[in-house]
Amino acid sequence: MTENHGRAHSHDHAAGANRTRLMAAICIVAVVLVVEVVGALATGSLSLLADAGHMLSDLVGLIIALIATIIAARPATDRLTYGYQRAEVFGALINGVILVVVAVSVTVEAITRLVDPAPGEIAGGLMLGVAAIGLVANTVSLLILRGGAKESINMRGAYLEVLGDLLGSLAVIAAALVILTTGFEKADAIASLLIAAMIVPRAVSLLKDVVGVLAQSTPPSMDVDQIREHLLAQPGVAAVHDVHIWSITSGRYVFSAHVVCRQEVFESGGTAALLESLDSCLAEHFDVEHSTFQLEPAERAENEDRTHR
């Protein structure tokens, strides 16, 4: 009980830290978004406007991520027995969709400008200055969010979005330098395409992780055969089958299995001790918080339908 309480307290502390990180990042991104929109209108830069659009999606995504962490902290109910932890996954799903929409919109506009460039001179100097501000702000936001990116799929989505903004700022800076030194204004539209190209892989990766959780796939970090070997090594265990492991959200794993016990376990009344041993094994070696075991004698296991592993 103490160990489980300790893990829950650790998760609550991490969730609180993630909320603080998100609020700080939201403030930074909101300020830079306004600066970039004004800068894009003043310079006529599509890449700066594209980066601002990306930052707008990030701002919405960060707000969604913040709301998701608050909802996920709500206690479980009889209707939602695992609580609201999946809210983080749905938040990540919305973020991924937003990224795809932004990438498509930027690509269409960039191609339009390359085929039929709009008249007017792009103010490369001001474009460079605004992009530099964005670069500094995105770097600060990235450092703030980095601590939570490994703990939560929701935080990972927010981190990846800000990382994309940082790379976008670098692309805008490069385009501004090309315009200032060569006068090649199509570099602005090309930089916009690069920004869109950087967004797509991150969106796909995030959506892939979301689908994996919602489909209750075995988490990539988990090896079912290795888990089975650990359980078989426990005294009194003869076999393990019907093994299932999935994620409620990032880092919150659920496990269930049928465990065939040797006869002496039942005869000596050692089932409680065995359950404690199995639970501790999963918690210590695989960081599984929720585990369910069905203990059964060998003769019952032999009569079961072995369609599951």
Side-chain angles (χ1 to χ4, degrees):
M1 179 68 72
T2 302
E3 183 180 353
N4 289 337
H5 176 74
R7 288 199 298 271
H9 176 75
S10 175
H11 181 78
D12 291 342
H13 176 74
N18 286 342
R19 284 193 289 273
T20 301
R21 293 184 182 108
L22 286 168
M23 286 188 286
I26 285 171
C27 293
I28 294 172
V29 171
V31 171
V32 177
L33 171 62
V34 174
V35 172
E36 288 203 340
V37 169
V38 173
L41 295 176
T43 62
S45 168
L46 173 62
S47 62
L48 201 54
L49 189 60
D51 199 39
H54 189 197
M55 293 201 77
L56 174 61
S57 75
D58 288 353
L59 180 61
V60 174
L62 288 169
I63 292 172
I64 291 171
L66 177 61
I67 294 172
T69 60
I70 295 172
I71 294 174
R74 296 177 63 183
T77 66
D78 290 340
R79 295 286 296 174
L80 296 169
T81 55
Y82 284 120
Y84 294 80
Q85 296 175 50
R86 277 279 167 89
E88 293 188 345
V89 181
F90 290 117
L93 173 62
I94 295 172
N95 283 355
V97 172
I98 289 173
L99 286 171
V100 171
V101 171
V102 170
V104 172
S105 301
V106 169
T107 299
V108 171
E109 180 61 23
I111 292 174
T112 300
R113 286 206 181 187
L114 285 173
V115 174
D116 184 20
E121 185 177 346
I122 296 176
L126 181 57
M127 175 182 169
L128 178 63
V130 174
I133 294 173
L135 177 64
V136 172
N138 287 323
T139 300
V140 173
S141 297
L142 198 70
L143 293 174
I144 291 173
L145 295 173
R146 183 174 60 180
K150 295 181 180 179
E151 302 167 0
S152 161
I153 190 173
N154 184 45
M155 289 298 295
R156 179 169 173 254
Y159 176 85
L160 288 175
E161 287 183 342
V162 175
L163 176 61
D165 278 337
L166 187 147
L167 296 175
S169 295
L170 289 174
V172 177
I173 288 173
L177 290 173
V178 170
I179 292 171
L180 286 172
T181 55
T182 69
F184 182 64
E185 293 191 352
K186 286 188 177 182
D188 182 54
I190 293 172
S192 301
L193 287 174
L194 288 175
I195 292 172
M198 288 185 289
I199 293 173
V200 172
R202 297 182 299 105
V204 171
S205 175
L206 183 60
L207 290 174
K208 181 180 177 181
D209 288 345
V210 168
V211 170
V213 173
L214 295 180
Q216 295 187 316
S217 303
T218 299
S221 61
M222 293 292 176
D223 186 325
V224 173
D225 289 332
Q226 187 179 25
I227 293 174
R228 184 183 283 106
E229 289 176 7
H230 273 260
L231 298 179
L232 286 171
Q234 302 304 310
V237 176
V240 178
H241 63 97
D242 283 300
V243 174
H244 302 280
I245 183 165
W246 65 97
S247 300
I248 302 174
T249 186
S250 294
R252 303 300 293 270
Y253 306 121
V254 180
F255 178 91
S256 69
H258 290 208
V259 177
V260 181
C261 304
R262 303 188 191 283
Q263 190 60 37
E264 57 266 24
V265 173
F266 296 101
E267 292 175 351
S268 64
T271 54
L274 178 57
L275 284 172
E276 179 64 27
S277 177
L278 294 171
D279 184 68
S280 297
C281 174
L282 287 180
E284 292 171 9
H285 295 287
F286 301 99
D287 197 27
V288 175
E289 290 189 25
H290 300 279
S291 55
T292 302
F293 299 96
Q294 178 173 310
L295 303 184
E296 53 192 33
E299 55 269 23
R300 182 181 189 280
E302 290 172 358
N303 294 328
E304 281 196 341
D305 179 13
R306 300 298 185 84
T307 58
H308 301 289
R309 296 189 68 208

